[in-house]
Amino acid sequence: MIRTTGIAIIQHRESGKIYEISSDDLQFEDVSRYERDMGAEVLWTARVDHPELGDLEWSVTEYPEGAISGTPETDVNGHELQTDFHFEIDYSEPDIDPDDEHEIDPLPTSITNSDTQEMRDWFHENYEDPANSLPYSSQDGGYQWINGGPYTPLDALQEEFDSVYSYEAIEAAAQSIIDEDGTYDWSPRDRSESPDNRVFRLAARFDRHLPLAERIVFNEEKVAFQALATIAAKPDLLKATVDRVRDALEDCLSSQSNGLSGNDHEVRKLRRMLSQYANDPQRIEMDTTSVRQGILAKIATGELPDSDAIRDLLSTLQDAGHGIRATDANIATNRRILQSATVNEPPTERIQEIREIAPVLEVITEGDLQEQMRDDLEILAKYDGQLGGVTQRDGLARDEITRVVGRAARILLAIKKTPEIVSKLEASTPVKIGKILSAFGILFGAAAKIFQFFVLL
């Protein structure tokens, strides 16, 4: 079944009034299913008859079993969807006490002590007891909320972590804050912070919201950062997946009637994946997902035919992404987090600001990380609102921005965690810490205007 958390925020197309739809209002039904190679593909649909907004509909495709296929679709009757729910497949059943005929609500189990501490630390870094800093006037009703608010711990944590942790996990962390401090209403901290602190704070947010299944580590010998990709959970399955993609791509290229050529961005992206990243499940999942979205967009505009070979390639790309997510829980979670971010179409000046970090990254990275950063920035250098007729919203350029910004965030956090890295970089490279912070600050400032999951900027 489909489990829904959070709220949907919809703005009326005529009045401009904002409405909130609770996840409790959605009841998903299995409306269709048909058998495929990896089991049944199931279409789940939920409808809401809103008194002001009219008929609203949400659709989620499940394939293979336990995995969400593609991006959930929403029909809000011509109104503007500002924030959507978060969806996941959940077939777990509540435990039944044999001595009690009633069901027992299970405690949240999808959270660890470190997860709770992460949320608590973030909350205390960004909010404080109003008694610490706010003026108080009994004549004017109590505390004067000059920094905004008041905010409850649940409101603040849900705003920041809704795409990362379940509602139950967030609720538990929020309650622990209230139980410990006895304070229900909190004030945002005064944001008169230094530019350096702001850069590190944004890095922590991008690290959380742009995850990749890899580790960024500092190579002491080469005095540079490198990326260690996750090991495939099922190497044989990954190899078979890569072989299927290669065969389907070559079938499309064997006939001009299929519309694809070796110069197309989608083809170059898949060929690079097949030749350079065939053992990197995270990269394969990202590339197959975004290329499939790009091809579908070109079919919709008539730039590519809806031929049998193209359809076979689309099916193969979809199966590849599903198969990896079904066998690697971290990559599946990453996809859910990445999909939850609303992404604005970046103007060329924002892309230019992102590209300005290239000289710094070239010096402080090495190996595959350096090469991938270079490739992604080169692609962004050619980006002018679209790539090969496909806009960023259709998936292309989004992956490149995600990798550049997410990896840069983790590099900066590593520098913060291990200050000795700074002295080693400054002794062996022409780049000084001031230049690193300045370049990363420009990068994160531009990216914060593209990825819409930020509050308290």
Side-chain angles (χ1 to χ4, degrees):
M1 61 180 295
I2 304 298
R3 184 172 178 273
T4 312
T5 56
I7 60 173
I9 300 177
I10 302 173
Q11 184 175 28
H12 197 284
R13 62 179 178 270
E14 296 176 355
S15 68
K17 187 175 181 180
I18 300 296
Y19 295 90
E20 294 185 357
I21 310 297
S22 170
S23 59
D24 294 336
D25 295 337
L26 267 62
Q27 300 295 325
F28 277 91
E29 297 181 353
D30 174 353
V31 297
S32 71
R33 63 173 59 219
Y34 68 92
E35 293 299 322
R36 295 182 56 187
D37 294 344
M38 301 172 64
E41 178 175 307
V42 183
L43 176 63
W44 298 87
T45 299
R47 295 180 176 86
V48 174
D49 184 10
H50 192 274
E52 302 296 333
L53 301 172
D55 292 333
L56 312 174
E57 181 175 299
W58 283 262
S59 298
V60 178
T61 300
E62 177 187 4
Y63 178 78
E65 182 178 1
I68 291 179
S69 170
T71 303
E73 297 182 1
T74 304
D75 181 356
V76 292
N77 198 24
H79 306 293
E80 181 180 349
L81 179 67
Q82 297 188 339
T83 301
D84 205 355
F85 301 109
H86 300 302
F87 305 93
E88 56 186 304
I89 307 293
D90 184 6
Y91 285 110
S92 61
E93 296 181 357
D95 297 329
I96 304 296
D97 187 338
D99 298 324
D100 191 340
E101 63 179 356
H102 300 290
E103 296 182 354
I104 300 175
D105 294 330
L107 294 173
T109 57
S110 60
I111 187 170
T112 65
N113 289 335
S114 62
D115 295 334
T116 301
Q117 193 59 47
E118 178 193 8
M119 288 189 275
R120 288 167 55 85
D121 289 346
W122 175 87
F123 181 82
H124 287 298
E125 287 175 3
N126 291 279
Y127 293 85
E128 63 179 342
D129 188 326
N132 294 341
S133 62
L134 297 189
Y136 184 90
S137 171
S138 57
Q139 294 181 342
D140 294 326
Y143 288 111
Q144 306 303 296
W145 302 93
I146 57 177
N147 295 324
Y151 296 96
T152 68
L154 182 60
D155 290 339
L157 292 179
Q158 201 168 5
E159 181 79 31
E160 174 66 17
F161 292 97
D162 195 38
S163 65
V164 182
Y165 298 119
S166 68
Y167 175 82
E168 292 80 7
I170 295 171
E171 186 179 40
Q175 190 60 50
S176 73
I177 294 171
I178 294 174
D179 292 344
E180 180 182 34
D181 293 281
T183 303
Y184 186 77
D185 290 328
W186 295 72
S187 169
R189 290 186 180 274
D190 184 0
R191 277 302 171 202
S192 54
E193 59 184 346
S194 70
D196 290 355
N197 287 341
R198 181 177 185 272
V199 173
F200 284 119
R201 180 168 57 82
L202 290 180
R205 286 195 158 185
F206 280 120
D207 173 45
R208 185 159 51 243
H209 288 280
L210 302 178
L212 295 173
E214 64 182 18
R215 290 190 302 120
I216 300 294
V217 298
F218 187 70
N219 186 317
E220 298 277 352
E221 180 181 349
K222 297 186 177 181
V223 195
F225 288 94
Q226 63 185 92
L228 302 179
T230 187
I231 299 175
K234 294 186 177 181
D236 292 344
L237 177 61
L238 187 68
K239 183 180 183 304
T241 296
V242 169
D243 289 342
R244 283 191 61 200
V245 172
R246 181 180 290 107
D247 291 343
L249 177 61
E250 294 308 317
D251 285 346
C252 280
L253 295 174
S254 65
S255 173
Q256 293 183 352
S257 63
N258 293 316
L260 283 177
S261 73
N263 293 324
D264 288 324
H265 178 79
E266 297 87 353
V267 175
R268 296 199 309 272
K269 191 167 189 174
L270 287 180
R271 281 181 166 170
R272 184 187 298 114
M273 178 199 81
L274 293 168
S275 63
Q276 298 177 232
Y277 310 117
N279 294 319
D280 184 345
Q282 176 72 84
R283 182 61 181 252
I284 294 172
E285 191 275 341
M286 293 184 78
D287 286 351
T288 54
T289 300
S290 61
V291 168
R292 180 176 182 273
Q293 292 172 339
I295 291 175
L296 283 171
K298 284 190 172 182
I299 292 175
T301 60
E303 295 176 73
L304 285 177
D306 190 10
S307 66
D308 290 341
I310 291 289
R311 281 290 166 187
D312 182 60
L313 176 60
L314 288 172
S315 178
T316 301
L317 295 174
Q318 185 177 44
D319 289 347
H322 289 164
I324 291 173
R325 291 191 292 271
T327 58
D328 192 310
N330 288 333
I331 292 178
T333 299
N334 292 349
R335 172 55 54 187
R336 177 174 60 81
I337 294 173
L338 293 173
Q339 284 183 330
S340 70
T342 300
V343 183
N344 294 325
E345 190 75 26
T348 53
E349 59 266 25
R350 295 283 173 243
I351 297 295
Q352 178 60 40
E353 289 173 342
I354 290 175
R355 297 203 309 263
E356 287 179 1
I357 200 174
V360 173
L361 292 176
E362 185 72 19
V363 172
I364 66 174
T365 59
E366 66 94 16
D368 286 343
L369 177 59
Q370 183 187 62
E371 185 175 344
Q372 290 190 49
M373 287 289 216
R374 190 184 296 149
D375 287 346
D376 285 341
L377 289 168
E378 182 180 343
I379 289 173
L380 293 177
K382 302 174 183 176
Y383 179 81
D384 59 357
Q386 61 178 19
L387 285 169
V390 182
T391 67
Q392 174 266 344
R393 289 186 183 276
D394 297 314
L396 298 177
R398 175 171 180 160
D399 284 355
E400 287 75 16
I401 295 173
T402 294
R403 285 193 292 266
V404 170
V405 176
R407 284 167 167 167
R410 284 178 276 282
I411 288 173
L412 194 59
L413 292 177
I415 291 174
K416 180 182 180 182
K417 183 178 180 180
T418 311
E420 295 82 4
I421 293 177
V422 174
S423 59
K424 293 177 181 179
L425 286 172
E426 291 187 335
S428 303
T429 73
V431 176
K432 306 303 180 185
I433 185 61
K435 185 173 182 179
I436 292 176
L437 291 175
S438 175
F440 280 53
I442 293 173
L443 170 69
F444 296 153
K449 294 178 175 62
I450 296 173
F451 292 99
Q452 294 298 299
F453 44 65
F454 285 89
V455 294
L456 294 175
L457 288 179

